[in-house]
Amino acid sequence: MTEKKHRKIVVSGIRPTGNLHLGNYFGAVRSFVKMQSEYQCYFFIADLHSLTTHPTPENLQSGVKQVLAEYLACGIDPEQATIFIQSDVPEVVELYTLLNMNAYLGELERTTSFKEKARQNPDNVNAGLLTYPVLMASDIIIHKANFVPVGKDQQQNLEMARKFATRFNHMYGHRLFPLPKPFSFDGKDMIKVPGLDGSGKMGKSEGNGIFLVEEAGSIRKKVMRAVTDSGPTMMNQQKPEPIRNLFTLMGIVSSPETVAFFEDQYNSCQIRYGDMKKQLAEDIISFTEPIREKILAIRNDEAYLSRVAREGADKARESAARTLSEVKKLIGLNRLW
Ligand code: TYM
């Protein structure tokens, strides 16, 4: 194995806005676990990003603790990866301020997630929301990341990070920042885990999450309620979106044989959605149950969680401070007198 300091660098984060769901796991955390032994990894909890929606201090505290416990329960190993809380690394915020000077109103306003959030919450179109991609770019480039494992919904934010990095490099005539690339688990496209409510992605704000920490009974209920239709009427008929979503989820958690079986049933118009859902629910549960047990065991061990966060913050700050000092020198913020 390459010596750690020569390995490519990986950065990614998750907002502490609720329990992790299958979308977070299969879009991001699964890659974190896979990458940690091969790359130099920084995985954090994006508490500053979550402030755009004004959580109460209590919710923020418990959200951060929960995601930290969930990271560990999923198998992210603090001996291999640096795990930290975003606000413990103030250097990120300083770089964010500097990057903001070269981030333009027009491009920020055109970002899909900004437009979407502004539409959903017209009373809370705050500046933090507008400059969200700048803070995210800062998270990434402050460690000079080469790869960023994220789901498809973060693709545009990642493109913005590349844009801000390129702009800085050009402006100061120096290739300080590598251009961060997306990383997908299987080397194919970035993924979008669908919800089971007919259309769209699984998400915290969509209210359609199946959570890693969820009890089996509750998962069964949610899956059995998934939207379907009255079934195919022609052989090999194209699947409408809700059915496609059911198959996509099955493709993620079930064995290839199981998926093939239900594909055949669908194509020959014999499918019984009730059977398919039962199978899907059981396959989800066999995947989540061991993780759930670990989450419950770790989440009350505050001494351990706090040690992991403290040690992670020290390592992340070291790397961040190094980059920030190079940035300040290039800008001319270092004092020469
Ligand atoms: P967040 O907290 O919304 O989501 C965390 C991660 O989960 C992925 N994800 C999904 N992937 C596939 N299908 C889904 N249905 C699904 N839902 C969520 C997201 O793509 C993400 O990878 N802006 C980020 C947090 C962030 C960040 C960063 C990420 C802040 N700074 C720097 C990477 C690098 C966010 O809100 O993710």
Side-chain angles (χ1 to χ4, degrees):
M1 198 180 289
T2 345
E3 205 193 327
K4 210 149 198 167
K5 70 176 190 246
H6 298 303
R7 294 194 212 171
K8 295 262 189 209
I9 296 170
V10 172
V11 172
S12 196
I14 296 186
R15 282 171 305 148
T17 43
N19 298 322
L20 297 190
H21 51 66
L22 296 179
N24 298 132
Y25 185 84
F26 289 102
V29 178
R30 171 174 68 153
S31 301
F32 299 1
V33 177
K34 180 178 176 179
M35 296 175 97
Q36 62 183 350
S37 57
E38 215 178 307
Y39 298 92
Q40 182 158 354
C41 293
Y42 295 90
F43 299 128
F44 65 96
I45 298 162
D47 56 348
L48 296 173
H49 274 111
S50 75
L51 297 180
T52 57
T53 53
H54 309 154
T56 62
E58 294 74 27
N59 284 346
L60 183 60
Q61 291 278 341
S62 70
V64 168
K65 215 165 81 180
Q66 179 72 16
V67 176
L68 183 54
E70 295 189 320
Y71 271 176
L72 297 165
C74 288
I76 305 177
D77 173 5
E79 301 291 321
Q80 302 206 60
T82 301
I83 306 173
F84 65 100
I85 299 163
Q86 186 184 31
S87 62
D88 280 344
V89 184
E91 288 81 2
V92 167
V93 185
E94 197 171 339
L95 180 60
Y96 161 65
T97 303
L98 301 174
L99 293 176
N100 266 328
M101 308 306 165
N102 297 307
Y104 291 91
L105 183 60
E107 62 189 346
L108 295 172
E109 279 177 336
R110 277 194 302 276
T111 312
T112 316
S113 54
F114 173 72
K115 288 196 288 196
E116 183 75 358
K117 285 180 181 159
R119 194 179 52 78
Q120 285 165 351
N121 290 300
D123 296 333
N124 184 28
V125 188
N126 59 62
L129 207 55
L130 183 72
T131 56
Y132 187 108
V134 187
L135 181 55
M136 186 159 154
S138 175
D139 290 324
I140 296 171
I141 69 179
I142 204 156
H143 301 293
K144 302 192 177 174
N146 303 101
F147 295 109
V148 184
V150 279
K152 188 147 183 62
D153 59 309
Q154 295 297 316
Q155 189 167 15
Q156 191 178 31
N157 281 336
L158 190 51
E159 277 160 21
M160 304 278 282
R162 292 165 66 85
K163 192 193 271 189
F164 296 135
T166 309
R167 200 172 283 165
F168 187 93
N169 287 348
H170 274 165
M171 185 149 173
Y172 294 100
H174 197 86
R175 289 178 56 177
L176 182 67
F177 298 119
L179 298 190
K181 293 194 193 71
F183 176 93
S184 73
F185 187 78
D186 53 7
K188 296 186 199 142
D189 276 348
M190 297 162 94
I191 76 157
K192 177 178 102 175
V193 177
L196 289 178
D197 44 359
S199 67
K201 67 161 185 159
M202 183 177 290
K204 292 169 202 155
S205 46
E206 282 73 6
N208 60 4
I210 295 178
F211 300 99
L212 299 176
V213 74
E214 196 158 342
E215 279 178 24
S218 166
I219 295 182
R220 276 191 200 103
K221 263 196 217 136
K222 282 187 183 171
V223 176
M224 295 314 286
R225 276 203 309 262
V227 174
T228 50
D229 59 11
S230 52
T233 50
M234 280 183 317
M235 305 279 271
N236 302 315
Q237 187 181 319
Q238 257 205 353
K239 301 184 187 84
E241 189 177 356
I243 307 303
R244 234 179 19 241
N245 288 348
L246 214 52
F247 274 96
T248 303
L249 211 54
M250 189 168 242
I252 291 172
V253 293
S254 305
S255 71
E257 295 74 32
T258 304
V259 181
F261 172 80
F262 287 102
E263 284 280 358
D264 280 350
Q265 297 266 304
Y266 184 88
N267 288 331
S268 56
C269 300
Q270 290 172 320
I271 192 151
R272 296 198 337 205
Y273 290 129
D275 292 348
M276 181 177 179
K277 289 180 187 177
K278 263 191 213 139
Q279 179 69 48
L280 177 60
E282 293 319 308
D283 289 342
I284 291 176
I285 292 163
S286 18
F287 167 76
T288 52
E289 203 52 31
I291 300 182
R292 170 183 148 78
E293 280 167 20
K294 286 192 200 131
I295 298 171
L296 298 181
I298 296 173
R299 127 175 127 181
N300 292 321
D301 191 348
E302 285 196 354
Y304 175 54
L305 293 177
S306 134
R307 194 178 72 233
V308 168
R310 215 177 32 245
E311 290 176 2
D314 287 345
K315 284 193 254 170
R317 284 199 75 173
E318 208 182 293
S319 150
R322 226 179 299 129
T323 308
L324 186 62
S325 130
E326 291 178 289
V327 166
K328 288 172 81 169
K329 217 180 267 171
L330 286 171
I331 294 181
L333 287 168
N334 57 324
R335 200 168 293 113
L336 295 171
W337 38 273

